Structures are given as C-alpha cells and as structure tokens.
Amino acid sequence: QVQLVESGGGLVQAGGSLRLSCAASGRTFSDYAMGWFRQAPGKEREFVAAVNWSGSSTYYADSVKGRFTISRDNAKNTVYLQMNSLKPDDTAVYYCAADLIKSQFLHIHLYDYDAWGQGTQVTVSS
C-alpha cells in the first residue's frame, strides 16, 4: 500500500506561483510513476502532469504546459508541482496519485492510478 499526503495549496493572485508537494510512504518510491490531477467545483477530475520513476520523463496537459513543472526527489520520497503564471481557471483541489504498475508510458487516465492523496485546495483570485 502507498500513502500520499499533499501540501502547499493556498490562495494566490492571478499571475502568482505556488509549489505543491506530495509525500509518499509505504513502498519504494523510485519503483513507480507519479501524477497530479485536479478537480474544480462541478467538474470532473482531470489530468495535470505525470513523471516517470526517475524524473527523466514528464508529460503535461495542454492547459498547463509551459506554466507548471512536475519533478520528484526520490531521496525525499516526494513529488512536486511548481505552478507559475497561475490563472483563475487553475482553481481546484489538486491531488497526487501513484501509478504502481510499471510501464514505459506515462498515463493520463484516473483509472491507471492506484493510490491517491486527500487533495489540497488551490484558489487563484483575479
């Protein structure tokens, strides 16, 4: 079993930055890929970014490409999401997730992820 705990959310003005963290425990962190998803009020949960086990490969949703950066520190069992140039449309609860099945591909669908954190709220004011 993998346990995930997010932190770093908050209220920020449009154009500002936040860095989310997700601490993992329960399995060797470098064994699996990680992803970030978000869910805005009244909307479905959507993919944001993913990173492979080593951090050498990343993938982003078009809506955040060029503004968000996903990274990981395997020594700290932590994955990060650096969010720059934030927009009000980025307001959502952000979740980290673990993709425990080894694959050469990075996944964007919720059903490919096996463990989820509790989420952290990000609110961007205009």
Side-chain angles (χ1 to χ4, degrees):
Q1 281 285 48
V2 171
Q3 293 78 42
L4 304 171
V5 179
E6 301 98 335
S7 61
L11 173 64
V12 63
Q13 288 189 332
S17 298
L18 279 176
R19 188 176 83 155
L20 306 183
S21 300
C22 172
S25 62
R27 261 183 67 168
T28 302
F29 186 60
S30 57
D31 277 352
Y32 50 89
M34 293 291 296
W36 284 96
F37 290 76
R38 66 186 182 186
Q39 188 166 17
K43 295 187 176 181
E44 294 186 350
R45 194 171 299 190
E46 65 176 6
F47 170 79
V48 175
V51 62
N52 72 339
W53 67 274
S54 67
S56 62
S57 180
T58 58
Y59 188 75
Y60 298 92
D62 287 344
S63 59
V64 307
K65 202 172 295 182
R67 300 187 298 123
F68 290 11
T69 302
I70 188 171
S71 62
R72 66 190 296 160
D73 185 337
N74 287 344
K76 295 183 178 180
N77 292 350
T78 301
V79 63
Y80 304 98
L81 186 68
Q82 177 67 44
M83 305 185 294
N84 298 329
S85 303
L86 282 161
K87 306 174 182 179
D89 283 351
D90 295 318
T91 295
V93 177
Y94 282 71
Y95 300 89
C96 67
D99 180 359
L100 301 179
I101 306 299
K102 286 192 175 181
S103 170
Q104 62 179 313
F105 302 108
L106 292 174
H107 296 127
I108 65 170
H109 299 293
L110 276 71
Y111 55 73
D112 285 315
Y113 289 81
D114 310 284
W116 294 82
Q118 82 290 349
T120 185
Q121 176 71 46
V122 171
T123 303
V124 184
S125 63
S126 57

